[in-house]
Amino acid sequence: MVQKNILIIILFLFASQAFSQTITQTIRGTVIDKDSKAPIGFATIALQSYAIGTITNSNGIFSLSKVPIGRQNIKVSLFGYKPQIISDIQINAAKEIILSIELEEDLKILEEVVVTSGNPQIQTVNDMVGISGRTFSTNEANRFAGSQNDPSRMARNYAGVSGASDQRNDIIIRGNAPQGLLWRIEGIPVPNPNHFSGQGSTGGPISIINYKMLSNSDFITGAFPAEYGNATSGVFDVKIRNGNNQRSERTIQLGALGLEALVEGPFSKNNPSSYLIGYRYSTLSILANAGLKLSFASIPYYQDLSFKFNFVTKKAGIFKLFGLGGISNTIFYDNKRDSTQFSPANKGENVKFGSKTGVLGLSHTYFLNNNTFIKSTIAATYEDNESKRDSIQSNQILKKTGGFGYSNYKFVFNTFINKKINTNHTLQSGIVAEQINYATKDSLLLNNPNLGTQFWGYNNNFEGNTALLQAYSQWKYKINERFTLNSGVHFQYFILNNRYAIEPRIALNYKLNEKQTLSFGYGLHHQLQPYGMYFYRNKYAINNQIETNKNLDFLRSNQFIVGYDFNFNSDFRIKIETYYQHINNVPIEKKASSYSTLNYGATFNNTYKENLINKGVGQNYGLEITLEKFFNKGYYFLFTTSLYQATYKGSDNIWRNTAFNGNYVINSLAGYELKLKNNFTILFDAKLTLAGGLRFTEIDIPSSITNNEATYKENEAFEKQNKVYFKPDIKLTVRKDFKNKMALEWALDIQNIANYQNVYLYWYDKNTQRQHPVYQNGRFPTVQLKLEF
């Protein structure tokens, strides 16, 4: 049936036009210096394969008109700078292409210049990244099969990242807990940007981030530069693009994940300022509200909004107002219970779960001169998570019997100054201040047998506020054409308990020749625990106002990395990295147990512990191999292999696997683009993932029966592992460009086409007194229709 529908749609699109039309579009943008960010005038812009070219004006601005649709490459060059080739530029009829191109000054001006690849995946946006970093683009988020237009799921295809879970998009880097990841948007540290997010997590089922609003952004997996702090596993540094400042454009998209609308354009024709706004509402909730009966155990309701207003002034600099927010909720109904599906609701109960996330910021960039600029940002962030448990009475009336919730809002200030001293030296120094406000409440309706009444008991009911101060300075030194040194130091100070950390960072790159590079990196990284741990008060203590974990120190991670990169040509490379991470200062219990915060976020039940001490240790090491053919000449492929070991030791002094030690991940992706007549394009994409199964602690059935709740064999923590995770995905995309500045795209993405049963977890049903496996998604087709005009 699916194949028949595909054929009908393709035939219908072909029949819409009988004759080929020549459709063109405009490529505009700015050329700037890579280190100083100052505009570069009189640079040559040439479209490869076509006799179309121009030069930038004194402000570095250029415009190429009448560019044929399809994938194009442009070459950017200027005497004194290394020429750049920007490839895989997808041109369609509906949207102008707006680029920001950075050129690097050449140390060998008088010698022969070698053209280097402009593939953004090779050269990170942040020029201070010397190792374990790559840039991701909107093209990749839209292209890769199984990614669901989600930047987090897309990142799982990269070496060093594991994701043997369909239900959530948590990013597990080199065996570290997902909470070790730092999310940044426009330079600001932000809370978990996902719907249905959970405490101690950096992922969720559905991303709030709209990939269509992103500019090229960086993903870093270790030994990251000094500007990034309070993180131990990696950094997702997200940039929001500016809207088109010359022409109004619109996008409407309907798919399995939501109905979306995006608008962008100039505020006026006489000013280069622009706006960009995107909104999404969940598709399933639309269908449910329309009265359609759905068989899902719960219907996810969610919506999100993102925006960026870019204001360019003549003398006062550039102001940017940006924001992102999402609201989500769902209900697990008793009458839709299924023993094969996990549900937090017991028999005779309904459970409602919801979350809210918001970011609002204002940034200002001001150039003191052509080599120095200052950027400052103020922002407010908010996250809220709550659940409510209702008992179904005999008269079908709901009675609240329990609930959990937490909230965390921050005020953030970030400022830095960037100075390009000369061709060899660039310095950047800055500060980040976060004012933190946290509260949590965990309640349960209890019976008083003596009075025959009910009362609300609280497992957790506390709040607190504090601040985290960070400062850094980093230096890029181009020693010569072969050696480049990126170094710096980061400082953190936690006001709550006066703990501080000083963190040196260094990355050294040595070019063996124009195609081969050796790299070495070292970083010392520290991170706070989830804030609730510091403010936790034991309700059973004689004085329940004592915060027993208040004096916890930062978790510490020493990271060493060695890398080798061989670029066979401008679009084909192999990259190998090996690493070792020594982790200490890990919070564990005083009494002998297997507990360690290195496993935090592995389950839905992240309970607080009291009297934690920083005496736990861990170690991660591994080997990563990437073989990559960037999109060119109609095809691409990406093969990544990650072999790793992640272990820890709790207060019982036993080395164990961490919850995130899958041991290996193998990803194979490939795609082919076929251009047809009448401005049709068909794309075929495929992906196969093999990974070590999720680790888990076995349920102790006799103890669970006695306790009337799931009880685990904690002395055998994470000794069990699910069988291999196997997931093949395919994607078919049909695109049609129209002469009236409109483009239509239809995509069918079939995940787990083999319908392989991957185990997600085992849960204990106290009604049957048995444990049941919960399987991940089987064959799951999603359809998407996008109209741009």
Side-chain angles (χ1 to χ4, degrees):
M1 186 65 182
V2 172
Q3 292 85 348
K4 182 179 179 181
N5 291 337
I6 295 172
L7 181 60
I8 291 173
I9 291 172
I10 293 175
L11 291 175
F12 172 77
L13 290 173
F14 270 112
S16 65
Q17 283 193 341
F19 301 99
S20 175
Q21 298 177 339
T22 301
I23 301 177
T24 63
Q25 188 53 272
T26 298
I27 299 178
R28 297 190 293 108
T30 307
V31 179
I32 60 177
D33 185 280
K34 189 173 182 66
D35 297 314
S36 70
K37 310 304 179 185
I40 298 176
F42 311 107
T44 301
I45 316 294
L47 186 70
Q48 296 192 317
S49 304
Y50 292 91
I52 301 175
T54 188
I55 62 172
T56 60
N57 65 16
S58 58
N59 295 318
I61 298 172
F62 71 91
S63 178
L64 281 176
S65 58
K66 297 183 179 181
V67 177
I69 62 170
R71 296 190 185 273
Q72 304 291 355
N73 302 333
I74 63 173
K75 179 181 176 181
V76 186
S77 58
L78 178 67
F79 181 76
Y81 286 86
K82 295 179 180 180
Q84 188 90 237
I85 295 176
I86 311 300
S87 60
D88 191 21
I89 305 174
Q90 175 61 51
I91 314 292
N92 69 24
K95 284 187 171 292
E96 292 184 341
I97 301 299
I98 303 175
L99 302 174
S100 179
I101 302 170
E102 298 184 346
L103 293 185
E104 182 179 0
E105 203 167 355
D106 196 347
L107 294 176
K108 300 188 302 180
I109 296 177
L110 300 179
E111 299 181 23
E112 180 182 358
V113 176
V114 178
V115 178
T116 59
S117 169
N119 278 311
Q121 299 92 334
I122 294 178
Q123 300 179 350
T124 53
V125 175
N126 187 339
D127 200 35
M128 296 288 182
V129 177
I131 199 167
S132 293
R134 67 171 292 153
T135 292
F136 68 92
S137 66
T138 56
N139 278 346
E140 291 178 307
N142 186 42
R143 175 188 299 151
F144 290 163
S147 294
Q148 302 178 25
N149 300 333
D150 182 348
S152 295
R153 297 182 191 274
M154 180 201 68
R156 290 181 174 184
N157 300 305
Y158 301 150
V161 184
S162 59
S165 170
D166 303 333
Q167 275 62 32
R168 299 181 60 83
N169 62 7
D170 293 283
I171 298 176
I172 299 167
I173 300 174
R174 294 175 173 173
N176 290 282
Q179 67 169 340
L181 176 73
L182 169 66
W183 277 102
R184 293 208 325 179
I185 295 179
E186 291 293 300
I188 291 294
V190 299
N192 186 346
N194 288 279
H195 290 294
F196 304 103
S197 59
Q199 186 167 222
S201 171
T202 52
I206 302 163
S207 177
I208 296 176
I209 297 175
N210 187 332
Y211 82 96
K212 292 183 287 297
M213 298 189 64
L214 300 184
S215 176
N216 286 344
S217 305
D218 288 337
F219 182 66
I220 313 168
T221 55
F224 26 93
E227 69 179 89
Y228 303 111
N230 196 28
T232 52
S233 70
V235 177
F236 221 133
D237 198 356
V238 176
K239 311 292 184 183
I240 304 176
R241 67 180 178 89
N242 295 328
N244 193 324
N245 61 7
Q246 293 188 9
R247 194 182 85 179
S248 296
E249 296 176 339
R250 296 155 294 275
T251 300
I252 297 176
Q253 180 171 301
L254 176 62
L257 296 182
L259 174 62
E260 303 179 41
L262 186 145
V263 294
E264 60 182 296
F267 285 108
S268 75
K269 295 182 179 180
N270 301 321
N271 189 288
S273 301
S274 65
Y275 64 87
L276 175 66
I277 305 172
Y279 174 77
R280 176 176 59 175
Y281 195 88
S282 61
T283 303
L284 290 179
S285 60
I286 293 174
L287 298 176
N289 290 335
L292 184 65
K293 293 185 178 181
L294 303 172
S295 60
F296 299 101
S298 64
I299 305 298
Y301 290 78
Y302 56 88
Q303 56 184 316
D304 48 64
L305 174 71
S306 305
F307 63 87
K308 183 178 184 181
F309 302 133
N310 188 55
F311 301 100
V312 181
T313 67
K314 292 183 179 180
K315 295 183 178 181
I318 301 173
F319 294 87
K320 297 182 181 182
L321 178 67
F322 60 92
L324 174 150
I327 301 174
S328 53
N329 65 82
T330 189
I331 300 178
F332 292 87
Y333 290 99
D334 173 70
N335 59 7
K336 292 186 178 181
R337 288 171 50 82
D338 184 340
S339 62
T340 64
Q341 298 183 24
F342 168 77
S343 173
N346 299 311
K347 188 175 182 180
E349 291 181 338
N350 291 345
V351 171
K352 181 178 180 180
F353 178 82
S355 64
K356 300 174 184 176
T357 301
V359 177
L360 178 65
L362 175 66
S363 70
H364 174 235
T365 303
Y366 183 76
F367 281 84
L368 300 176
N369 52 52
N370 284 338
N371 293 319
T372 309
F373 72 91
I374 298 175
K375 183 176 181 180
S376 302
T377 306
I378 56 174
T381 71
Y382 177 76
E383 62 176 326
D384 178 273
N385 184 293
E386 63 178 357
S387 63
K388 185 178 73 170
R389 188 176 299 273
D390 293 324
S391 175
I392 304 173
Q393 307 299 299
S394 58
N395 55 5
Q396 297 302 305
I397 294 177
L398 299 178
K399 182 178 181 180
K400 184 179 178 182
T401 57
F404 168 81
Y406 75 90
S407 64
N408 178 24
Y409 64 90
K410 299 181 183 179
F411 297 101
V412 185
F413 174 72
N414 178 18
T415 186
F416 69 86
I417 182 170
N418 190 92
K419 171 71 174 180
K420 179 181 178 181
I421 300 174
N422 53 39
T423 304
N424 300 79
H425 301 276
T426 302
L427 293 174
Q428 185 181 110
S429 298
I431 60 174
V432 182
E434 301 178 60
Q435 202 275 329
I436 302 158
N437 303 272
Y438 180 88
T440 189
K441 186 175 292 187
D442 184 3
S443 59
L444 188 65
L445 188 63
L446 302 174
N447 294 310
N448 188 325
N450 297 323
L451 300 177
T453 59
Q454 293 182 316
F455 67 98
W456 285 101
Y458 292 92
N459 292 319
N460 298 305
N461 186 12
F462 53 84
E463 61 185 24
N465 59 79
T466 184
L468 174 66
L469 305 179
Q470 303 177 68
Y472 69 90
S473 185
Q474 52 192 13
W475 170 43
K476 180 177 181 179
Y477 176 29
K478 300 175 185 176
I479 303 172
N480 53 42
E481 275 296 302
R482 292 185 180 273
F483 279 102
T484 300
L485 173 69
N486 288 282
S487 61
V489 62
H490 186 98
F491 173 79
Q492 297 189 81
Y493 178 69
F494 191 37
I495 287 181
L496 181 70
N497 56 21
N498 297 319
R499 300 288 185 175
Y500 68 90
I502 300 174
E503 306 168 329
R505 316 278 176 85
I506 187 172
L508 180 65
N509 301 106
Y510 175 67
K511 284 190 175 183
L512 300 172
N513 50 50
E514 287 300 330
K515 294 185 177 181
Q516 300 181 74
T517 303
L518 286 176
S519 303
F520 167 79
Y522 166 75
L524 176 60
H525 307 276
H526 293 79
Q527 187 177 33
L528 294 173
Q529 299 303 304
Y531 300 118
M533 287 190 180
Y534 297 94
F535 300 123
Y536 171 71
R537 303 184 187 117
N538 187 342
K539 68 167 185 174
Y540 299 109
I542 296 175
N543 185 351
N544 63 6
Q545 297 303 307
I546 296 177
E547 298 165 336
T548 63
N549 298 323
K550 178 179 178 179
N551 291 316
L552 278 177
D553 203 349
F554 291 93
L555 182 146
R556 182 188 299 126
S557 176
N558 277 278
Q559 303 184 8
F560 303 85
I561 308 171
V562 177
Y564 169 73
D565 205 329
F566 183 17
N567 295 292
F568 299 98
N569 52 46
S570 62
D571 58 10
F572 187 27
R573 72 164 177 174
I574 184 171
K575 181 179 180 180
I576 302 172
E577 285 192 349
T578 184
Y579 63 88
Y580 174 77
Q581 300 176 355
H582 175 72
I583 307 168
N584 62 350
N585 266 25
V586 182
I588 57 175
E589 291 187 286
K590 284 185 178 180
K591 65 178 183 180
S593 76
S594 60
Y595 176 83
S596 169
T597 59
L598 291 181
N599 301 310
Y600 201 83
T603 66
F604 297 106
N605 185 25
N606 295 311
T607 57
Y608 293 114
K609 302 285 186 178
E610 65 174 337
N611 297 314
L612 296 177
I613 55 176
N614 291 100
K615 292 188 176 181
V617 295
Q619 63 176 5
N620 303 337
Y621 55 88
L623 174 69
E624 300 164 1
I625 303 173
T626 299
L627 181 63
E628 186 166 17
K629 164 70 170 59
F630 298 109
F631 201 109
N632 193 20
K633 297 181 179 179
Y635 74 100
Y636 74 92
F637 59 77
L638 172 64
F639 301 117
T640 62
T641 299
S642 304
L643 307 174
Y644 63 99
Q645 187 76 4
T647 57
Y648 79 98
K649 186 166 62 174
S651 54
D652 58 5
N653 209 34
I654 299 175
W655 280 101
R656 306 177 187 273
N657 294 298
T658 71
F660 309 103
N661 188 21
N663 299 123
Y664 67 92
V665 182
I666 301 172
N667 288 301
S668 300
L669 298 90
Y672 179 74
E673 180 179 88
L674 180 63
K675 297 186 68 174
L676 304 175
K677 294 181 179 180
N678 305 321
N679 303 309
F680 277 98
T681 304
I682 297 181
L683 298 92
F684 302 92
D685 297 277
K687 172 188 172 183
L688 175 64
T689 298
L690 291 171
L694 297 171
R695 291 192 176 272
F696 64 96
T697 302
E698 191 173 15
I699 296 174
D700 187 336
I701 299 297
S703 296
S704 299
I705 294 173
T706 301
N707 298 329
N708 197 32
E709 63 179 4
T711 306
Y712 297 88
K713 300 178 180 179
E714 298 297 341
N715 61 332
E716 300 176 10
F718 308 112
E719 289 188 2
K720 300 293 183 179
Q721 184 176 21
N722 292 328
K723 62 181 180 179
V724 61
Y725 175 86
F726 173 78
K727 185 169 177 280
D729 306 319
I730 63 170
K731 184 178 181 181
L732 171 66
T733 304
V734 179
R735 187 167 56 238
K736 167 66 177 176
D737 289 277
F738 298 89
K739 199 169 186 179
N740 58 347
K741 300 297 182 182
M742 186 172 69
L744 182 65
E745 183 177 288
W746 174 88
L748 173 65
D749 193 344
I750 305 178
Q751 300 178 53
N752 194 3
I753 191 171
N755 202 30
Y756 185 80
Q757 286 191 315
N758 293 299
V759 175
Y760 182 45
L761 53 80
Y762 292 89
W763 70 284
Y764 175 73
D765 187 342
K766 58 175 141 183
N767 299 302
T768 63
Q769 297 184 337
R770 296 174 57 190
Q771 70 173 7
H772 302 277
V774 176
Y775 294 101
Q776 304 195 52
N777 294 341
R779 186 182 295 113
F780 188 68
T782 61
V783 179
Q784 177 178 288
L785 183 66
K786 179 170 67 175
L787 175 64
E788 297 175 310
F789 59 99

